Amino acid sequence: MNILVPYSWLKEHLSTKATPDQMAEALSLCSQSVDKINRVGNDAVFEIEITTNRPDCLSIYGIARELAAVLPRFNHQAQLKAMPELTTKIPVVKKSLPLKVTLQAPSLCPRFTALIFDQVKYRPSPKVIQGRLRKAGIRALNNIVDISNYLMLELGQPMHTFDYDKIKQARMIMRAAKPGEKVVTLDDQTRILSPGTIIIEDGDGRIVDLCGIMGGQNSAVDQTTRRVLLFIQSYDPRQIRRSCQQMACRTDAAQRFEKGVEPEGVMPAMKKAVVMFRTLCGAKVASRLTDIYPHPVQAKTVVVSTAKINQLLGIPIKIGEAQKTLNHLGFATKVSRQQISATVPYWRHDDINLPEDLIEEIARVYGYHNLPSVLPSGPLPLTITDPSFTWENQIKQALKYWGWTETVNYSLVSQQLIKQAGWQPDQCLKISNPLSLDWVWLRPSLLPSLTAAANQNQPDQVIRFFEMAHVYHPSESAGKAKLPEENLRLAGLINRPRFYQVKGVAEAILTEMGIKAEFRPLPGAKQAGQILINNQLIGTLGKTQDRMAFFDLDFSQLVKLASRQKQYHPAAKTPPVIEDLTFIVPPQTPLGELTKVVKAVDPLIKEVSLVDTFQNNFTFRLYYQAPQKNLSRRDVAKIRNKIILQVEKIFQAKLRS
Amino acid sequence: MDLNKIQNLKNQAISGILEVNSASELERLRIAYLGRRGELNELLKQLGQLPTNQRVEAGRQINDAKQAIEQTLQSQKNSLPDSSKINDWLDITAPGKKPALGHLHLISQTIEEIAHIFEKIGFQRVRYPEVEWDWYAFEGLNMPPEHPARDEWETFFIDNLHHPKLGRGVLTPHTSSGQLRQMEAQKPPLRMLNIAKCYRRQADASHAPMFYQFEGLLVDQNIAITHLKGVLAYFAKQYFGPNRQTRIRPFHFQFTEPSFEFDVTCIVCNGKGQIEGKRCPVCKQGWMELGGSGMVHPTVLKNGGIDPEKYTGFAWGWGVERLFMMKYGIDDIRLLFGGDLKFLEQF
């Protein structure tokens, strides 16, 4: 959460000569991060990002307290000023106006205080107050409401003011909302309350307050108000947070309450409010203080050893210096036997629990920027690298140098894409809270997104795209308590029907990975085939309906089957006899089968490769080679005749003479 | 002379002829192999030195080779273009025939670079689930349900996926979910580098619903804040250049204590905070935020089965895209995903 902090307001609580820039530097390096300094007139306003663990910094006073601790480290003197209001006593009245309070759910409200003022004069606030509110981002309304906003900004304690005469029968019942209840809030909105929301009901059963979030319109202060009921509480942060989320309403007050407002901070705010009501509204206290606080927070003590401090910081720190730092931050400390025991100030009660928390305080004020940078020197872990990373990089690089371009597409795809691809929804994983209709399902295949990626471009350019990414399938176990399968796949696509290019790339990938595979027709598909290794399906390839060519490989499996092992064969001592044979084959003769048959004719055929095709003429280059002797023309002729016979018998193909 | 020599000569001649594309060169080869003093005639002359029983076979093979070479010469001659147009001019300025050259995605390039830098100081890459249980993504990292810190991680949930102990199935919103997985898999000392896809419910120029992070985790005895500074400064200098300055500032994460924000001096204004008298558009007073880091929270170590009294460690989790978007001045993360060739071809 970001807050706006005027420099001039800070100076009311802090005596220092540090300039706004110097303050910003000290805060950013040692405390909370100053995002910006805005100049407003001759004042400077800091925009500060407050981390969730430091609600105590969500106030002018909180920031002044931090500055008092960190500025001296930058050689700027700084002293937090005492607030005289905090020593004033709340007047005890003889005749108190009545207020009957019932807490039905005390755990939701650890501390409940209320005080009634009479003779309140409704008017605009003085210019100084209005100016400060404006710089801090809140519009001034009237002196009564302004007091509550002013104190929320200054002390971090939200509070609310009711018109006392609008609380029927001077009775308040705090309880959790029931399903279906409604309230009209100060901003004129009718809000349907989510069950469990903390509310106040008056003696007539009307809901007068949406506690910690916003007041009810029916009890709001206006120019006729004479008697004000001031209301200062702390609430269960989780319930405030839940209600805000469910009702989509997050006010300044609620943002503070949901991060935690300490019950011990309630009374200082009450005391300063009493003073401000007197000076700004001419008001008099007209009731006894209601203060329901059944379980006062006990201050806690955390102990840390110097050994631990030095170990975590990496440099030795003098124990006295560490102690001084903690004292500056409001901790009461005792040192004994190289240990500091620190009593946590109430405003840090939730944040400080462990020795590490104290070390953070000591280290940040010392200045992380003052610590040296050292590479760790411990033993290196003995681990074996997952080979999939090396393969992934190697194959991606190969594809790049073969002219392919890598794309990265979202793992999340639309309902429409799921339908187009013909996937069964029960074989896919669905997002229960999608951000948009484009991202609803986790994709079980890469191809549809690759096609979409190719179609993003002008169709006149030849595109070769590939992607390597996980695909997702629900786990096959019967129960649902198993994570889905995430398989790494590699898919490639050319936006032209160039099947033999994609096949060639698939073959080259397999060769590079040392894998022998078989390409077979895919049953039921005319234009697609399957890639098998030991009869196990590891991929598909073919042409799509929109005349593109693709391959799609199970890369996780390929990595398991891959091998970098090579075998050395001494070169043959005899030269091969090389000749070309051209066959005229009938249409739809499977070339792969034909080649296999030719190769199997005789072990002296070392290699058969297709060198040319023309219509139904296929030209093969044959390498005949015997290990120990030179083959004669007669030897070759014998084998050749066997080939011609076989090919004719099996494929009805003829040698072209 | 042996019979191999004849075969070799024949193969050499044929392959040589097939590569020729001028008539004059063909003629030169004809003379070299078949001419009166050509190689084949030289072989014929040596025939007499062979034992009688081999002479017939050798003679037959030489004749064989002669015929084959003649045939090849003839067919190559026929396939030559009109000889009158051929000349010896070589145009050096005409474009060459380039080998095919595609493109690796910037994300892949950067991941390789990051992995390489950290591998040198002993960090090993790992893979952990993208669809992960709440325990690993949040609760085990000291973020119980309803904790306000969870607001920072706008999370996608998976339909019908729930574990009785580990909670709901989520798309992991950060690579930090790998921390507990790593601690379960390995005892200290450990040095992990987890580079993976992450998902958050947000989409604008600087946020995509899917993005990459790289997470480092080091756990050992006596690991201090100074070591975190050392490792991260080493990375920043390797990646952005040796003149970068770095610093850490206080921040807050539930799974580290203390927690830091890591800054590096701006690569655009060189850390000056301004360019030609104007405020630098990419940095804050000369510093760029790279990401969060911190000393592993004792609760997280405990959840990972490691004794926090004995071991300490540090971790960081930064955006991969952020790194190179800073480096190349890319201002919209959504450009990275999908098939815009005009973008992809630039890298």
Side-chain angles (χ1 to χ4, degrees):
Chain A
M1 178 178 176
N2 282 21
I3 59 165
L4 295 170
V5 177
Y7 177 74
S8 58
W9 200 347
L10 271 177
K11 294 269 281 190
E12 185 174 307
H13 298 289
L14 190 69
S15 58
T16 180
K17 290 193 176 119
T19 64
D21 286 334
Q22 289 164 342
M23 283 188 182
E25 189 195 14
L27 280 172
S28 289
L29 285 175
C30 296
S31 178
Q32 302 287 302
S33 182
V34 176
D35 275 359
K36 251 191 262 170
I37 307 176
N38 302 315
R39 307 281 157 185
V40 180
N42 52 10
D43 201 357
V45 179
F46 302 105
E47 193 176 331
I48 308 177
E49 182 188 359
I50 308 294
T51 52
T52 47
N53 63 324
R54 295 298 305 273
D56 62 297
C57 286
L58 287 169
S59 66
I60 309 294
Y61 194 74
I63 295 295
R65 202 160 44 201
E66 284 290 305
L67 278 168
V70 301
L71 278 173
R73 286 289 308 171
F74 293 80
N75 297 321
H76 307 301
Q77 287 193 349
Q79 189 75 46
L80 198 60
K81 294 182 195 169
M83 260 192 282
E85 296 90 344
L86 302 191
T87 53
T88 55
K89 287 217 166 86
I90 296 171
V92 181
V93 293
K94 286 207 177 103
K95 197 165 168 268
S96 176
L97 287 173
L99 180 68
K100 189 152 190 261
V101 176
T102 312
L103 301 187
Q104 282 190 358
S107 66
L108 297 179
C109 179
R111 187 167 196 176
F112 180 109
T113 66
L115 191 65
I116 303 161
F117 295 94
D118 199 356
Q119 300 172 35
V120 176
K121 287 175 194 67
Y122 178 98
R123 58 192 176 208
S125 296
K127 287 275 177 287
V128 183
I129 303 276
Q130 291 194 17
R132 284 183 175 176
L133 288 176
R134 195 177 55 244
K135 285 179 200 165
I138 288 185
R139 197 159 54 97
L141 294 170
N142 55 66
N143 53 354
I144 303 163
V145 174
D146 289 353
I147 289 172
S148 62
N149 283 331
Y150 187 89
L151 288 176
M152 174 178 76
L153 295 175
E154 184 170 64
L155 302 176
Q157 171 68 56
M159 53 187 75
H160 185 58
T161 49
F162 297 93
D163 186 328
Y164 171 73
D165 294 297
K166 294 181 186 169
I167 308 291
K168 303 294 179 194
Q169 300 174 37
R171 181 161 168 65
M172 292 183 133
I173 302 160
M174 181 181 281
R175 62 169 172 86
K178 295 171 217 147
E181 285 189 303
K182 284 184 213 160
V183 64
V184 179
T185 43
L186 279 173
D187 55 353
D188 243 351
Q189 300 259 329
T190 303
R191 299 187 185 273
I192 297 164
L193 302 174
S194 67
T197 299
I198 314 167
I199 51 148
I200 305 268
E201 183 184 294
D202 71 2
D204 282 2
R206 305 179 315 153
I207 297 172
V208 294
D209 190 26
L210 183 48
C211 293
I213 303 174
M214 208 187 292
Q217 203 180 43
N218 52 14
S219 56
V221 164
D222 60 34
Q223 56 262 55
T224 65
T225 299
R226 285 292 162 268
R227 300 198 285 192
V228 168
L229 170 63
L230 175 70
F231 208 55
I232 310 183
Q233 268 74 19
S234 71
Y235 295 109
D236 175 8
R238 280 162 303 174
Q239 184 52 53
I240 298 288
R241 184 174 146 77
R242 228 173 284 147
S243 300
C244 287
Q245 281 179 335
Q246 282 158 356
M247 292 188 287
C249 166
R250 203 167 241 168
T251 56
D252 267 1
Q255 288 199 57
R256 287 173 161 83
F257 278 124
E258 71 172 59
K259 289 178 179 71
V261 169
E262 292 299 334
E264 289 295 321
V266 165
M267 279 322 288
M270 182 58 91
K271 285 176 179 169
K272 182 145 190 189
V274 169
V275 175
M276 287 185 81
F277 266 91
R278 193 166 57 219
T279 50
L280 264 58
C281 313
K284 286 204 165 69
V285 173
S287 75
R288 275 188 294 275
L289 175 74
T290 306
D291 182 4
I292 305 170
Y293 186 27
H295 307 292
V297 175
Q298 300 299 313
K300 63 183 162 194
T301 299
V302 180
V303 179
V304 65
S305 68
T306 37
K308 183 126 187 153
I309 298 172
N310 295 343
Q311 191 267 300
L312 209 60
L313 258 66
I315 55 158
I317 292 270
K318 288 199 186 80
I319 196 161
E321 193 178 346
Q323 188 187 17
K324 214 166 81 188
T325 297
L326 291 174
N327 293 343
H328 266 141
L329 291 166
F331 292 82
T333 52
K334 263 193 291 186
V335 171
S336 65
R337 288 207 211 110
Q338 298 303 303
Q339 278 194 338
I340 304 176
S341 54
T343 304
V344 181
Y346 73 82
W347 58 89
R348 302 296 302 279
H349 186 83
D350 279 353
D351 184 35
I352 306 285
N353 299 297
L354 305 170
E356 283 80 359
D357 296 328
L358 290 179
I359 297 172
E360 172 175 32
E361 299 303 304
I362 296 160
R364 72 180 173 93
V365 175
Y366 179 84
Y368 297 135
H369 56 290
N370 291 322
L371 294 176
S373 298
V374 181
L375 279 177
S377 58
L380 290 183
L382 183 70
T383 43
I384 305 298
T385 315
D386 177 349
S388 70
F389 292 113
T390 323
W391 282 119
E392 181 181 334
N393 185 41
Q394 187 173 335
I395 298 302
K396 279 181 178 177
Q397 293 281 357
L399 281 161
K400 171 191 164 166
Y401 291 113
W402 293 333
W404 291 65
T405 296
E406 187 188 17
T407 64
V408 177
N409 297 291
Y410 291 119
S411 313
L412 301 166
V413 297
S414 66
Q415 173 83 32
Q416 203 191 350
L417 202 78
I418 287 271
K419 246 193 209 160
Q420 277 172 9
W423 293 322
Q424 297 303 313
D426 61 345
Q427 288 164 9
C428 305
L429 290 139
K430 194 179 182 191
I431 304 296
S432 42
N433 57 337
L435 182 60
S436 102
L437 288 177
D438 291 334
W439 304 309
V440 183
W441 297 85
L442 282 171
R443 58 184 173 165
S445 155
L446 305 180
L447 286 173
S449 4
L450 261 190
T451 313
N455 286 336
Q456 241 179 288
N457 299 284
Q458 293 295 327
D460 58 343
Q461 46 188 338
V462 178
I463 288 170
R464 290 179 187 80
F465 272 164
F466 76 94
E467 180 173 14
M468 199 183 293
H470 281 143
V471 297
Y472 314 83
H473 296 279
S475 157
E476 287 185 15
S477 75
K480 289 287 183 189
K482 212 174 158 212
L483 288 177
E485 287 165 25
E486 295 177 20
N487 260 324
L488 197 59
R489 287 196 86 93
L490 169 63
L493 184 95
I494 307 182
N495 66 342
R496 296 285 186 279
R498 295 182 184 169
F499 172 76
Y500 292 106
Q501 273 193 23
V502 294
K503 183 174 175 192
V505 166
E507 286 171 326
I509 291 168
L510 293 165
T511 307
E512 180 72 2
M513 297 182 80
I515 297 172
K516 279 209 168 69
E518 239 186 300
F519 292 75
R520 281 200 218 135
L522 189 65
K526 268 194 190 147
Q527 304 260 309
Q530 48 186 343
I531 306 171
L532 301 151
I533 300 172
N534 302 329
N535 286 324
Q536 180 196 356
L537 182 70
I538 55 99
T540 55
L541 77 178
K543 290 190 214 171
T544 65
Q545 280 171 340
D546 36 5
R547 298 181 50 75
M548 300 195 184
F550 72 92
F551 66 85
D552 180 9
L553 303 171
D554 185 338
F555 203 74
S556 303
Q557 280 304 325
L558 289 184
V559 168
K560 282 183 200 153
L561 299 164
S563 160
R564 292 191 187 277
Q565 207 155 3
K566 302 277 195 258
Q567 210 177 344
Y568 168 69
H569 299 284
K573 292 207 171 71
T574 57
V577 176
I578 305 164
E579 69 172 3
D580 287 358
L581 297 179
T582 301
F583 290 99
I584 304 164
V585 301
Q588 298 192 7
T589 302
L591 202 51
E593 300 298 313
L594 181 66
T595 313
K596 246 194 248 170
V597 166
V598 173
K599 181 86 180 22
V601 164
D602 196 293
L604 294 179
I605 304 172
K606 283 292 154 222
E607 205 186 316
V608 183
S609 62
L610 184 74
V611 289
D612 195 19
T613 62
F614 175 70
Q615 290 169 346
N616 55 345
N617 292 338
F618 291 159
T619 304
F620 295 93
R621 181 155 296 162
L622 289 116
Y623 294 76
Y624 307 92
Q625 194 172 31
Q628 296 304 340
K629 66 162 199 164
N630 282 314
L631 293 173
S632 67
R633 258 211 293 200
R634 233 173 309 140
D635 297 333
V636 171
K638 240 197 271 173
I639 304 173
R640 186 192 304 125
N641 287 337
K642 267 203 269 177
I643 294 174
I644 296 166
L645 272 173
Q646 279 283 41
V647 166
E648 195 167 348
K649 196 175 95 193
I650 301 175
F651 299 101
Q652 290 81 47
K654 285 208 160 47
L655 186 73
R656 205 183 67 176
S657 46
Chain B
M1 181 183 75
D2 63 16
L3 298 178
N4 283 350
K5 204 168 169 189
I6 304 172
Q7 285 290 345
N8 283 338
L9 184 67
K10 176 180 143 190
N11 288 341
Q12 181 198 336
I14 289 175
S15 65
I17 291 163
L18 289 174
E19 276 175 13
V20 165
N21 51 15
S22 77
S24 56
E25 184 66 3
L26 274 184
E27 181 56 17
R28 195 185 66 73
L29 287 180
R30 192 191 65 77
I31 293 166
Y33 289 109
L34 306 179
R36 209 151 35 91
R37 288 179 165 184
E39 306 245 11
L40 282 180
N41 273 345
E42 287 304 311
L43 286 179
L44 273 176
K45 279 179 202 160
Q46 294 168 25
L47 214 52
Q49 298 161 6
L50 286 174
T52 339
N53 58 349
Q54 288 187 15
R55 278 187 208 162
V56 179
E57 176 61 16
R60 195 184 56 73
Q61 287 206 20
I62 291 173
N63 260 329
D64 212 27
K66 198 174 167 187
Q67 272 176 27
I69 293 171
E70 271 169 354
Q71 268 175 25
T72 317
L73 273 170
Q74 192 53 46
S75 72
Q76 188 67 9
K77 205 171 189 177
N78 293 343
S79 71
L80 279 182
D82 187 350
S83 59
S84 62
K85 285 179 191 160
I86 290 176
N87 56 36
D88 290 338
W89 187 55
L90 180 63
D91 185 358
I92 302 296
T93 66
K97 284 198 172 131
K98 291 192 191 97
L101 199 55
H103 306 271
L104 272 194
H105 200 282
L106 257 183
I107 292 175
S108 294
Q109 294 183 36
T110 308
I111 287 175
E112 270 313 303
E113 205 175 339
I114 295 167
H116 203 64
I117 292 171
F118 283 112
E119 199 179 74
K120 291 197 181 89
I121 51 171
F123 285 82
Q124 289 264 357
R125 275 191 79 182
V126 293
R127 277 187 218 275
Y128 290 123
E130 288 171 38
V131 180
E132 186 53 287
W133 301 119
D134 183 279
W135 168 259
Y136 291 99
F138 289 115
E139 192 159 5
L141 297 177
N142 202 24
M143 270 191 277
E146 296 194 74
H147 196 282
R150 286 194 179 203
D151 285 0
E152 300 289 317
W153 287 267
E154 291 271 8
T155 306
F156 286 114
F157 295 95
I158 307 290
D159 244 7
N160 288 321
L161 191 65
H162 191 273
H163 190 283
K165 287 200 191 107
L166 303 174
R168 292 182 76 173
V170 303
L171 274 176
T172 183
H174 52 193
T175 41
S176 305
S177 49
Q179 289 190 16
L180 289 175
R181 294 259 176 207
Q182 185 68 23
M183 293 180 202
E184 285 171 2
Q186 193 188 5
K187 292 301 139 205
L190 55 90
R191 297 187 184 198
M192 169 198 90
L193 184 64
N194 181 24
I195 312 182
K197 281 179 180 157
C198 305
Y199 303 84
R200 288 185 201 171
R201 267 187 103 250
Q202 47 192 7
D204 56 42
S206 42
H207 301 94
M210 180 184 91
F211 57 96
Y212 284 79
Q213 276 193 343
F214 62 110
E215 180 95 7
L217 172 71
L218 186 150
V219 180
D220 200 351
Q221 287 176 334
N222 294 316
I223 294 300
I225 300 172
T226 47
H227 297 131
L228 172 145
K229 284 188 74 174
V231 166
L232 297 185
Y234 157 80
F235 171 76
K237 283 171 196 272
Q238 289 274 347
Y239 185 80
F240 288 110
N243 296 329
R244 291 305 111 200
Q245 303 293 310
T246 59
R247 67 176 189 189
I248 55 172
R249 286 180 291 117
F251 203 66
H252 175 70
F253 300 104
Q254 282 293 116
F255 39 101
T256 47
E257 186 67 43
S259 307
F260 318 104
E261 191 74 64
F262 184 82
D263 295 345
V264 59
T265 44
C266 178
I267 52 173
V268 176
C269 65
N270 221 0
K272 292 191 182 72
Q274 44 183 292
I275 303 168
E276 290 164 5
K278 281 184 195 147
R279 194 192 272 191
C280 174
V282 295
C283 70
K284 286 181 193 169
Q285 286 110 40
W287 294 93
M288 301 190 304
E289 284 178 16
L290 275 192
S293 63
M295 306 304 291
V296 182
H297 197 286
T299 304
V300 176
L301 287 173
K302 250 182 259 167
N303 289 343
I306 293 175
D307 180 0
E309 291 300 318
K310 207 170 155 195
Y311 295 102
T312 47
F314 62 84
W316 72 91
W318 298 350
V320 170
E321 293 87 349
R322 188 173 166 75
L323 281 187
F324 64 76
M325 284 173 73
M326 281 180 179
K327 208 168 176 175
Y328 294 100
I330 299 167
D331 54 6
D332 191 338
I333 193 171
R334 290 167 295 192
L335 278 170
L336 305 175
F337 304 104
D340 185 353
L341 208 53
K342 287 193 206 78
F343 176 79
L344 297 170
E345 278 178 346
Q346 295 180 39
F347 301 100

